[in-house]
Amino acid sequence: MPKKKVSVFLAAILGILLLTQVYVYAGENKVEIVVDNVSTGISVKTVSKNNITMIPAKELAESIRGNFTYDYNSMTGIITYKESEIRFRLDNDIVMFNGKYIKAPAPMSIEDYRFIVPLEFCCEELGIHCYMDYKKNLLYIYTQNSGDLIYNVMSGDSLWLISQKFGTTIDKIKQLNGLTSDIIYVNQKLIIKRLDPIDNSFVSYTSNNATLSSGTSLSVPPVGYLKAWTEVKVIGKNGDWYKVKTANGTGYIHKSVTYIKQDIWDDRPNSKYFENKINVDTSKSYITYKNYVVQKGDTLWTIGEKMGITDYELASANNISREAILYIGDVLKIPVHNIPVKDKVIPTSGEILDWFAEAQYVFPIGSVGKVIDIATGKSFMIKRTMGSGHADCETLTASDTKVMKEIFGGYWNWNRRPFILEFNGRRLAVSIAGMPHAGVDGLPFMQNVANRSDNYGYGPNYDTIANGMDGHFDLYFLNCQRHKDNKIDALHQQNVLIAGGLR
């Protein structure tokens, strides 16, 4: 094939790859955020989604002295800045800005255990300006709404580089600053452009007679009073109060007397993100093997339990069936899963481990550890007694049972809560359901018994420890499955990520 045709063919393939790529990191290095020419000390990885720059919402908000919160029940992330707010629902590009639905260029999503949002869209709605310099890995944010944009010259800058960074020309910069040459100096302050005011206000109405308050309370002096269906211009939102401009002046009216005409509506279902398997990097894990000599009374089940692996994995490693008869002196090959300690999202979080590829080997049957409730800080000791799709565990003592019951509100229930599991020197992200089931305390393990806990009726007793708790409870790592249908439990999945530092 001629070289020219090869080049054209490769270029076409490259173009297709670029078009089909959805998420890519903007670079290996993190981007440092500079606000009003001052470094914030905050560095983040940005992500490009269909040529839209996405940035972690929490770090963006903190850099401009705003706030980001996430409500796990409604799957809603809220950025507040001064007297404005943007509400994102996970994986939904219809967002609410100061009470009005608008369409975003990309939805809030999760990447690398961070809630990420479209950078330029958020800045524009919040009335601030942003410029990215990927050559220096710097994000410049200017919080002023209008006036002169002033830039502090850095080492390595030139008028051409600055003009490209801010989307202007060398001549315009020279004209604004009265420069007669292209020479500039480090720390020199240059006027880059005139900023036009960003006006994101919209018309609304009072839905009833309303007090125009001077603050976000009815106990402060009123600015005036408005009749029902008075036109107002919404210029901000502070909690349950809208900041408005009216013919009577500027003030606040409560949401209960505010009517906002919606041009679009959000009737989309919640995101399915937490219902699905979430990919985890397991590339650093590896398997080695050791030998085991069969002893009297051994079965594949008991050997697997002793070695922290399943009987079917043991059978597969030795190319035998799970029903194979073992003889004393037989030598079996035992897979040993080596799972290195992972970097944590934040220092106080737990490692996020995939259950099937990692966690079931890190915390095998028979293991004893301590679990710490994220919300209260209370802790108790547990033992993993069984479980394949997830870990079935019991408290070690009656005292541990008492603490667990207190954490779950003083009674047993199927509520899920995020926990940190401390085991073998590691801190692991897990979720626990507060309902002991399938057992009767104090009776022999696996003996058929009646009245097993949580209405399990007659069957094998899955209670192994006399601890004042009937049966065992569920402990989930990431991508665990329920016994009843082998599906992922969305609430457990969400809790594991919370314990792992999702923010």
Side-chain angles (χ1 to χ4, degrees):
M1 185 182 290
K3 289 184 179 180
K4 186 175 181 181
K5 289 186 177 181
V6 171
S7 299
V8 171
F9 175 74
L10 291 176
I13 294 296
L14 178 60
I16 292 171
L17 289 173
L18 289 173
L19 286 173
T20 56
Q21 189 172 20
V22 176
Y23 277 107
V24 294
Y25 277 110
E28 288 298 322
N29 297 323
K30 290 185 176 181
V31 174
E32 181 183 348
I33 302 178
V34 178
V35 177
D36 297 330
N37 293 315
V38 177
S39 174
T40 61
I42 298 174
S43 296
V44 296
K45 279 187 176 180
T46 57
V47 177
S48 178
K49 179 185 179 184
N50 297 331
N51 295 321
I52 298 167
T53 300
M54 307 289 288
I55 190 170
K58 184 176 180 63
E59 282 83 351
L60 171 63
E62 289 178 349
S63 69
I64 58 176
R65 296 185 180 179
N67 190 41
F68 174 75
T69 56
Y70 182 79
D71 177 27
Y72 289 91
N73 293 319
S74 63
M75 296 189 183
T76 300
I78 308 169
I79 295 177
T80 55
Y81 171 67
K82 293 184 177 178
E83 290 187 298
S84 285
E85 68 172 30
I86 309 176
R87 290 177 172 262
F88 291 88
R89 289 179 61 215
L90 185 62
D91 295 328
N92 188 341
D93 63 359
I94 297 177
V95 307
M96 182 174 277
F97 172 69
N98 287 344
K100 188 175 181 67
Y101 286 115
I102 60 176
K103 193 172 177 63
M108 178 180 73
S109 56
I110 296 175
E111 185 77 16
D112 200 25
Y113 310 123
R114 289 286 191 276
F115 293 105
I116 58 174
V117 293
L119 169 63
E120 292 183 350
F121 168 80
C122 289
C123 289
E124 183 175 349
E125 294 304 317
L126 296 173
I128 57 182
H129 303 263
C130 64
Y131 305 90
M132 189 72 78
D133 184 347
Y134 282 115
K135 289 185 178 179
K136 293 184 178 179
N137 293 318
L138 295 172
L139 167 60
Y140 294 96
I141 293 177
Y142 293 87
T143 60
Q144 64 202 81
N145 187 278
S146 61
D148 292 336
L149 189 154
I150 308 295
Y151 174 70
N152 197 40
V153 177
M154 299 178 63
S155 177
D157 276 339
S158 68
L159 287 180
W160 185 84
L161 288 173
I162 295 171
S163 68
Q164 295 301 299
K165 187 184 309 182
F166 292 99
T168 184
T169 66
I170 294 174
D171 288 341
K172 286 182 180 178
I173 295 175
K174 291 173 72 173
Q175 182 181 0
L176 285 171
N177 293 276
L179 300 178
T180 57
S181 73
D182 291 349
I183 298 174
I184 55 177
Y185 307 95
V186 174
N187 293 326
Q188 183 178 357
K189 289 179 170 47
L190 294 178
I191 300 173
I192 303 301
K193 60 171 67 174
R194 310 286 189 192
L195 297 176
D196 295 326
I198 299 176
D199 183 5
N200 290 320
S201 63
F202 55 88
V203 172
S204 185
Y205 300 89
T206 56
S207 60
N208 208 329
N209 294 335
T211 299
L212 183 63
S213 180
S214 59
T216 55
S217 169
L218 290 175
S219 62
V220 299
V223 175
Y225 300 93
L226 306 173
K227 293 182 179 180
W229 302 110
T230 299
E231 182 178 300
V232 298
K233 182 178 284 188
V234 176
I235 60 174
K237 188 172 185 292
N238 192 329
D240 292 336
W241 294 79
Y242 289 97
K243 188 174 185 179
V244 296
K245 281 186 177 180
T246 75
N248 292 4
T250 299
Y252 300 84
I253 57 176
H254 194 264
K255 68 176 184 179
S256 62
V257 290
T258 306
Y259 169 76
I260 296 175
K261 183 180 181 300
Q262 303 293 351
D263 302 319
I264 58 175
W265 200 258
D266 181 12
D267 57 359
R268 299 179 184 177
N270 281 339
S271 168
K272 302 293 185 182
Y273 179 83
F274 297 109
E275 297 178 21
N276 300 312
K277 180 180 178 181
I278 296 172
N279 290 331
V280 179
D281 182 10
T282 62
S283 61
K284 294 181 180 179
S285 300
Y286 61 96
I287 300 176
T288 55
Y289 294 90
K290 65 180 180 181
N291 292 331
Y292 176 83
V293 179
V294 175
Q295 303 171 23
K296 183 179 180 180
D298 277 342
T299 65
L300 284 177
W301 175 270
T302 60
I303 296 171
E305 185 174 359
K306 188 186 303 182
M307 296 299 168
I309 58 175
T310 59
D311 60 336
Y312 55 82
E313 182 179 5
L314 182 57
S316 176
N318 290 275
N319 199 28
I320 59 178
S321 73
R322 295 171 68 184
E323 292 75 30
I325 298 174
L326 302 180
Y327 297 95
I328 296 173
D330 284 349
V331 178
L332 297 179
K333 184 168 65 173
I334 307 295
V336 178
H337 292 261
N338 300 275
I339 316 296
V341 175
K342 291 188 172 183
D343 292 336
K344 289 181 273 191
V345 176
I346 54 177
T348 56
S349 67
E351 294 177 56
I352 299 175
L353 302 181
D354 178 82
W355 169 251
F356 289 101
E358 301 171 312
Q360 65 170 322
Y361 306 113
V362 172
F363 190 61
I365 291 173
S367 299
V368 173
K370 180 171 77 172
V371 290
I372 306 167
D373 180 50
I374 295 292
T376 66
K378 293 182 178 180
S379 64
F380 56 94
M381 300 298 294
I382 65 167
K383 180 180 181 179
R384 181 185 169 196
T385 55
M386 56 193 311
S388 56
H390 57 260
D392 291 316
C393 300
E394 296 182 49
T395 55
L396 278 190
T397 67
S399 296
D400 293 313
T401 299
K402 181 181 178 182
V403 175
M404 179 179 176
K405 198 169 188 177
E406 289 173 354
I407 290 173
F408 281 90
Y411 67 101
W412 299 126
N413 56 77
W414 278 104
N415 291 339
R416 287 82 153 158
R417 297 175 68 95
F419 282 78
I420 297 292
L421 167 61
E422 290 186 346
F423 172 71
N424 201 22
R426 301 175 74 158
R427 286 171 55 85
L428 311 173
V430 299
S431 175
I432 292 176
M435 176 59 79
H437 53 278
V440 178
D441 197 40
L443 296 182
F445 176 58
M446 296 303 291
Q447 173 181 301
N448 285 336
V449 295
N451 300 317
R452 292 182 299 167
S453 53
D454 194 38
N455 298 314
Y456 267 62
Y458 182 82
N461 181 28
Y462 294 138
D463 189 302
T464 69
I465 303 173
N467 55 8
M469 171 190 289
D470 293 321
H472 55 224
F473 59 86
D474 295 344
L475 183 147
Y476 276 58
F477 289 84
L478 198 68
N479 299 326
C480 277
Q481 296 175 352
R482 299 185 293 234
H483 289 319
K484 64 179 181 180
D485 56 12
N486 294 324
K487 290 184 178 180
I488 286 172
D489 185 286
L491 290 177
H492 277 307
Q493 195 86 323
Q494 183 173 256
N495 282 342
V496 171
L497 291 186
I498 295 171
L502 175 64
R503 56 178 186 159

